[in-house]
Amino acid sequence: MADKRKTKQNDTKTRILDAAEKLFAQNGFKNTSISLLACKAHVNQAAVNYHFGSKGALVEQVIVRRLSPINQQRMENLQEVKETALRQGRRPGIEDLLRAFIEPAFVLTGTAPGEKWFLVIAGRAFSEPDETIRNVFIRHFEPTFLFLDALMKEALPGLSDAALRWRLHFVIGALAHAMRLCGSHRLPVASAPPPDTTETVVKHLVAFLATGMDAPDDAENE
Amino acid sequence: MADKRKTKQNDTKTRILDAAEKLFAQNGFKNTSISLLACKAHVNQAAVNYHFGSKGALVEQVIVRRLSPINQQRMENLQEVKETALRQGRRPGIEDLLRAFIEPAFVLTGTAPGEKWFLVIAGRAFSEPDETIRNVFIRHFEPTFLFLDALMKEALPGLSDAALRWRLHFVIGALAHAMRLCGSHRLPVASAPPPDTTETVVKHLVAFLATGMDAPDDAENE
DNA sequence: GTCTATAGATTGATAGAC
DNA sequence: GTCTATCAATCTATAGAC
């Protein structure tokens, strides 16, 4: 499997995946044609279908390649936060949980130092109109999200289930938007955020979201 | 302009706009063909290009029809919050500003009681891969956003510009995600939010976001 | 594994009769 | 304004030579 003699084949597959990642981020899945993709990857058109079977399968590979390690890391981080809190006989910390969930998305995304294209792709996940593609994200995402949900419920025992669930979705929305903004070239609009490092963005995110999660549960009075 | 004799023409145009809004929300712009659209709207294929000129122009009309009143209402609401605070000699309230900005999106969206399709379309605005379409949203959105930015700066004089701008983008991200969730049919996934009324969702949003906006500005220490 | 060539389907847009 | 018919472009996928 990890045979060195497969170098050339893997080179081609990797070049296709890398070019696809960039083009999908820039133009979306539907707007990226196989011919343009093959041109940018410096491979023949037929190579794409030879190596991946279909465009849909390529899309899934592009997503899974990055999303799988990200969610694995999220699970490990959350598990560690849970165990540390357990050992110390206290509730898990809200900021710790959020950081455990958010950080892998920014750290494990993209190869090159310049552009982290997958941030844009993943940030578009829940807006994807194609149900098949959207389900690829949801399938990988849901177990991690439900684990976060369970731990956050421990961290915030006073919060109603409805408020907890909505607030976690607000977390997802803010995170996805921040990912898109970090991954794309800075837009020449007056409302663009300042060009910070991803670590700074994560700090802003965690500070904002942790405080929001801990807000009083006013919406219950009705 | 508002001549009653144009009823038949306007009926056709409105039927096309309504069918397009629904299909765009369900399948996205690129995945919606003119032929399917004409079929669902019960008009002839050629009628779409006759009345709107091109598919791109139709897309813009679908967006502007709802977005324009929404942002106009936002501006009026924000102006009123500003003037009320000024009259009472105090800063604008964070919750008031957020509600002024958020509420119109949920109130002025969609005609039918059942499905508010434009919530999905607008919720996808910043994820739209097509730059031309995305710019339609940004063009309408930016003045309103910058006004909110200016008023929020008054409401939170201690917050750094960078933190303020990032937090407002987190507001946008959470809002967009909530709009998508409210507008689409409830997904059969375990992580879906509870099926609340839009008023309840707005309350959850404002409570969460106002508290987050007011978080201590930790990220400055670096 | 890589290439050329092309099939087969779908699309946005338009010409011209009514 | 509405219709039928069709053009021209584009796309995914594949067949078959090398």
Side-chain angles (χ1 to χ4, degrees):
Chain A
M1 207 81 126
D3 195 326
K4 285 285 185 182
R5 283 171 298 181
K6 285 193 178 174
T7 296
K8 190 172 182 187
Q9 174 186 354
N10 288 338
D11 257 20
T12 300
K13 286 189 79 165
T14 303
R15 268 212 313 281
I16 293 173
L17 284 170
D18 289 341
E21 184 174 71
K22 181 170 178 175
L23 286 172
F24 289 160
Q26 291 176 325
N27 309 322
F29 301 118
K30 185 80 179 183
N31 288 286
T32 301
S33 68
I34 303 284
S35 60
L36 176 62
L37 169 57
C39 170
K40 295 279 186 181
H42 304 293
V43 301
N44 188 273
Q45 276 216 34
V48 177
N49 280 305
Y50 174 79
H51 284 288
F52 294 93
S54 71
K55 186 186 176 183
L58 169 64
V59 168
E60 178 153 354
Q61 290 267 342
V62 167
I63 296 169
V64 169
R65 175 172 71 146
R66 306 254 186 238
L67 197 56
S68 195
I70 288 174
N71 281 318
Q72 198 175 333
Q73 185 67 55
R74 279 175 167 160
M75 283 301 226
E76 288 177 22
N77 290 357
L78 288 173
Q79 185 65 31
E80 194 189 311
V81 172
K82 174 189 171 133
E83 285 171 5
T84 301
L86 208 66
R87 258 198 312 276
Q88 301 179 358
R90 57 168 175 83
R91 301 191 211 288
I94 303 174
E95 291 208 8
D96 295 337
L97 291 174
L98 287 174
R99 181 171 290 277
F101 187 84
I102 289 171
E103 210 164 44
F106 289 88
V107 173
L108 299 178
T109 319
T111 37
E115 307 294 345
K116 299 195 161 194
W117 298 113
F118 190 71
L119 280 175
V120 181
I121 294 176
R124 270 203 286 255
F126 296 99
S127 306
E128 172 57 45
D130 187 306
E131 196 180 6
T132 308
I133 299 176
R134 200 174 55 236
N135 282 342
V136 175
F137 285 100
I138 292 180
R139 195 163 46 245
H140 280 77
F141 181 75
E142 192 153 46
T144 319
F145 182 83
L146 290 175
F147 192 32
L148 174 66
D149 184 275
L151 293 178
M152 202 59 94
K153 195 178 165 71
E154 290 182 31
L156 292 164
L159 199 61
S160 70
D161 283 358
L164 171 65
R165 183 54 64 88
W166 273 113
R167 289 179 187 190
L168 285 179
H169 276 284
F170 303 154
V171 168
I172 301 307
L175 172 59
H177 192 62
M179 287 168 71
R180 288 193 301 265
L181 290 171
C182 284
S184 63
H185 278 129
R186 196 62 57 207
L187 299 170
V189 288
S191 57
D196 288 316
T197 62
T198 54
E199 303 98 80
T200 304
V201 178
V202 171
K203 277 180 190 162
H204 282 300
L205 263 172
V206 172
F208 177 90
L209 296 173
T211 312
M213 286 300 304
D214 204 18
D217 193 0
D218 290 341
E220 285 302 285
N221 320 333
E222 49 182 326
Chain B
M1 203 82 126
D3 195 326
K4 286 285 184 182
R5 282 170 298 180
K6 285 192 177 174
T7 296
K8 189 173 183 187
Q9 174 186 356
N10 288 338
D11 257 20
T12 301
K13 286 190 79 165
T14 303
R15 269 213 311 281
I16 293 173
L17 284 170
D18 289 341
E21 183 174 71
K22 180 169 177 175
L23 286 172
F24 290 160
Q26 290 176 324
N27 308 324
F29 301 117
K30 185 78 178 183
N31 288 285
T32 300
S33 67
I34 303 283
S35 61
L36 176 61
L37 169 57
C39 171
K40 294 279 186 182
H42 305 294
V43 301
N44 188 272
Q45 276 215 33
V48 177
N49 280 305
Y50 174 79
H51 285 287
F52 294 93
S54 69
K55 187 186 175 182
L58 169 63
V59 169
E60 179 153 355
Q61 290 267 343
V62 167
I63 295 169
V64 169
R65 174 173 69 145
R66 305 254 186 239
L67 197 56
S68 196
I70 288 175
N71 281 318
Q72 198 175 333
Q73 184 68 56
R74 281 174 167 161
M75 283 301 226
E76 288 176 22
N77 290 357
L78 289 173
Q79 185 66 31
E80 195 189 311
V81 172
K82 174 188 172 136
E83 285 171 6
T84 301
L86 208 65
R87 256 197 315 274
Q88 301 180 356
R90 55 166 176 85
R91 301 190 209 288
I94 303 174
E95 291 208 9
D96 294 338
L97 292 174
L98 288 174
R99 180 171 291 278
F101 187 84
I102 290 171
E103 212 165 43
F106 289 89
V107 173
L108 298 178
T109 320
T111 36
E115 308 292 345
K116 299 196 161 193
W117 298 114
F118 190 71
L119 279 174
V120 180
I121 293 177
R124 271 203 286 255
F126 297 99
S127 306
E128 173 56 46
D130 187 305
E131 197 179 6
T132 307
I133 299 175
R134 200 173 56 236
N135 282 341
V136 175
F137 285 100
I138 292 180
R139 194 163 49 244
H140 280 77
F141 181 75
E142 193 154 45
T144 319
F145 181 83
L146 290 175
F147 191 32
L148 174 66
D149 184 275
L151 293 179
M152 202 58 93
K153 194 177 165 72
E154 289 182 31
L156 292 164
L159 199 61
S160 71
D161 282 358
L164 171 65
R165 184 55 63 88
W166 273 113
R167 288 179 187 189
L168 285 179
H169 276 285
F170 303 154
V171 169
I172 302 307
L175 171 59
H177 192 63
M179 288 168 71
R180 289 193 301 266
L181 290 171
C182 285
S184 62
H185 277 129
R186 195 65 56 211
L187 299 169
V189 288
S191 56
D196 288 317
T197 63
T198 54
E199 302 99 82
T200 304
V201 177
V202 171
K203 277 180 191 163
H204 282 301
L205 263 172
V206 171
F208 177 90
L209 296 173
T211 312
M213 286 301 303
D214 203 17
D217 192 1
D218 290 341
E220 284 301 283
N221 321 332
E222 48 180 329

